[in-house]
Amino acid sequence: MGYIDYLMISQMKELDLFDDIEYKYIKKIIEDDEDEIEVEIEDLDCDRIAWCKTRFTFKLNINVSGGWSPLMVDKTFVVDKEYNNSSPYALMMLELQEEEEEEEEEDEDKENKLESN
């Protein structure tokens, strides 16, 4: 089971999530590094020792017209990344998981405070 996180465009670039998407679809999206996109992140089983595999699923509102009049559609992208568990990529993934766990703990603390009142 995965989790949902909001990643900034800059983080998605660091994670190479746009590498296999045609530039014509994402050229406007990748201009603003501070924008955030909802991403489902799921750890997958990997058959190689000391390697990890993660699936990222996200939607982008892209222009598919190819002409002057834009035709915007929501398209879902699924990106699977395989990486060594001691790589910089693995460290980035660990940071994302730690951020998610901290947010969950904060939410639980808030709920507990509301219940005790």
Side-chain angles (χ1 to χ4, degrees):
M1 185 176 147
Y3 61 95
I4 305 249
D5 200 354
Y6 286 87
L7 300 181
M8 292 189 313
I9 298 297
S10 60
Q11 290 174 303
M12 294 178 77
K13 287 178 185 177
E14 285 181 45
L15 294 169
D16 301 328
L17 300 185
F18 297 121
D19 285 5
D20 296 327
I21 301 173
E22 289 187 53
Y23 178 73
K24 66 181 180 180
Y25 295 131
I26 59 170
K27 64 183 176 184
K28 296 283 186 196
I29 295 168
I30 61 174
E31 289 176 357
D32 190 0
D33 282 348
E34 298 300 315
D35 279 353
E36 292 185 339
I37 295 177
E38 183 179 290
V39 180
E40 181 180 347
I41 302 170
E42 179 182 2
D43 291 326
L44 302 175
D45 292 331
C46 190
D47 54 356
R48 296 169 57 184
I49 295 174
W51 284 79
C52 303
K53 193 173 194 177
T54 303
R55 173 172 289 150
F56 301 88
T57 306
F58 54 94
K59 287 183 184 177
L60 298 177
N61 187 264
I62 61 172
N63 181 0
V64 295
S65 70
W68 294 99
S69 179
L71 176 60
M72 304 303 284
V73 298
D74 286 332
K75 181 166 173 57
T76 300
F77 293 91
V78 178
V79 179
D80 290 347
K81 291 290 182 178
E82 193 171 327
Y83 49 93
N84 187 292
N85 65 5
S86 63
S87 68
Y89 201 97
L91 293 175
M92 286 188 286
M93 292 304 303
L94 184 61
E95 286 176 14
L96 286 176
Q97 284 181 326
E98 287 174 353
E99 287 174 11
E100 180 66 21
E101 289 171 1
E102 287 174 7
E103 287 176 12
E104 287 177 4
E105 287 176 8
E106 288 174 6
D107 290 344
E108 287 176 11
D109 289 344
K110 287 178 186 176
E111 288 177 13
N112 290 338
K113 285 180 183 178
L114 289 175
E115 288 175 2
S116 65
N117 288 336

